[in-house]
Amino acid sequence: MEITWYGHSCFRLTERNMATVVTDPFDNKSIGYDALKLKSDIVTISHDAPGHNNTDAVKGASHVIDGAGEFEIGGVFITGVQTDGGGSSKKKGKDGSTSNTVYVFDYDGITVAHLGDLKQTPAQSEIESLGTINVALVPVGGGGGLNAAKAAEIISLIEPNIVIPMHYSTPDAKVPLESLNKFIKEMGLSKPETQPSLKITRSGLPDETHVVVLEYQKS
């Protein structure tokens, strides 16, 4: 399967003969980057905010998922797990923000978790409900999501094969977020190589947790 990043928390997940997923499409007027022009079968929304809920930017989507539950669409199994406050997906937190949904996508045995704007370490029961995670898409730049230290802590709990950082400061982002470098140092890494997208197979998954930095693409 292939994972492509379009900036902020927006990814496209594709696999031949299976449904395409776009996560957290953003409003570029609020967030920066180029306007999204994506096509997808499924759109997932981690929470109701302009950086994550611009479904109009995605054409052709027959399914929009914006909360907890279990779904099977086009050969992809999707599990949504409520975090940061629970309750309805539209429930407001103390700071006025909506609670967050973490999604796990199972593409024929390769599992990808999108942590959305996760703010705090999930309860053990929430982590267990995610199951085995091969690829974790993790916010690392603070703001509404995890900062570098908390991101590293959660990665050590989830133990994915691959981590792809998201939701951090870039030259095209308008939102004040921390740089990727803080997270890279927190993980004890030197400057990582970047790549345009990640193509993975089950047999190609590394044994130890490996950080992959993607270059954001223009749709």
Side-chain angles (χ1 to χ4, degrees):
M1 66 170 303
E2 184 171 16
I3 301 174
T4 310
W5 185 43
Y6 293 95
H8 209 51
S9 304
C10 182
F11 292 84
R12 187 179 64 194
L13 316 180
T14 56
E15 171 66 285
R16 194 178 308 148
N17 300 326
M18 298 177 88
T20 298
V21 173
V22 166
T23 67
D24 281 16
F26 53 79
D27 172 15
N28 73 303
K29 293 185 186 70
S30 306
I31 301 304
Y33 300 101
D34 284 357
L36 294 171
K37 297 188 185 95
L38 294 170
K39 282 188 175 177
S40 177
D41 304 301
I42 304 163
V43 177
T44 59
I45 308 294
S46 65
H47 65 294
D48 199 11
H52 306 266
N53 67 355
N54 186 20
T55 53
D56 291 345
V58 186
K59 301 292 179 260
S62 52
H63 299 272
V64 175
I65 301 171
D66 65 355
E70 294 186 354
F71 313 88
E72 182 188 354
I73 303 164
V76 183
F77 289 90
I78 303 169
T79 305
V81 177
Q82 201 82 52
T83 65
D84 295 339
S88 135
S89 64
K90 300 292 184 286
K91 183 177 175 181
K92 299 277 182 184
K94 286 180 186 166
D95 58 358
S97 63
T98 50
S99 60
N100 183 65
T101 305
V102 170
Y103 293 101
V104 179
F105 308 96
D106 186 334
Y107 273 83
D108 196 22
I110 295 177
T111 53
V112 181
H114 186 285
L115 301 191
D117 246 10
L118 189 68
K119 294 176 184 58
Q120 59 205 28
T121 306
Q124 185 64 33
S125 60
E126 290 173 340
I127 287 175
E128 286 171 3
S129 64
L130 300 177
T132 301
I133 302 301
N134 299 132
V135 183
L137 313 176
V138 182
V140 302
L146 301 170
N147 62 20
K150 278 199 168 171
E153 178 190 339
I154 284 171
I155 288 161
S156 70
L157 293 172
I158 297 175
E159 298 184 327
N161 305 85
I162 294 171
V163 173
I164 301 178
M166 63 176 184
H167 201 268
Y168 55 84
S169 173
T170 71
D172 286 320
K174 290 182 183 175
V175 187
L177 295 170
E178 294 171 356
S179 74
L180 177 64
N181 289 341
K182 278 194 170 182
F183 172 70
I184 296 302
K185 284 180 185 161
E186 198 70 46
M187 294 293 287
L189 303 171
S190 56
K191 192 171 191 305
E193 290 181 23
T194 62
Q195 56 195 69
S197 67
L198 175 67
K199 293 179 179 167
I200 40 171
T201 60
R202 268 186 290 187
S203 60
L205 290 166
D207 294 330
E208 299 287 323
T209 298
H210 184 66
V211 175
V212 173
V213 176
L214 295 185
E215 301 150 10
Y216 50 90
Q217 303 299 306
K218 300 187 176 183
S219 59

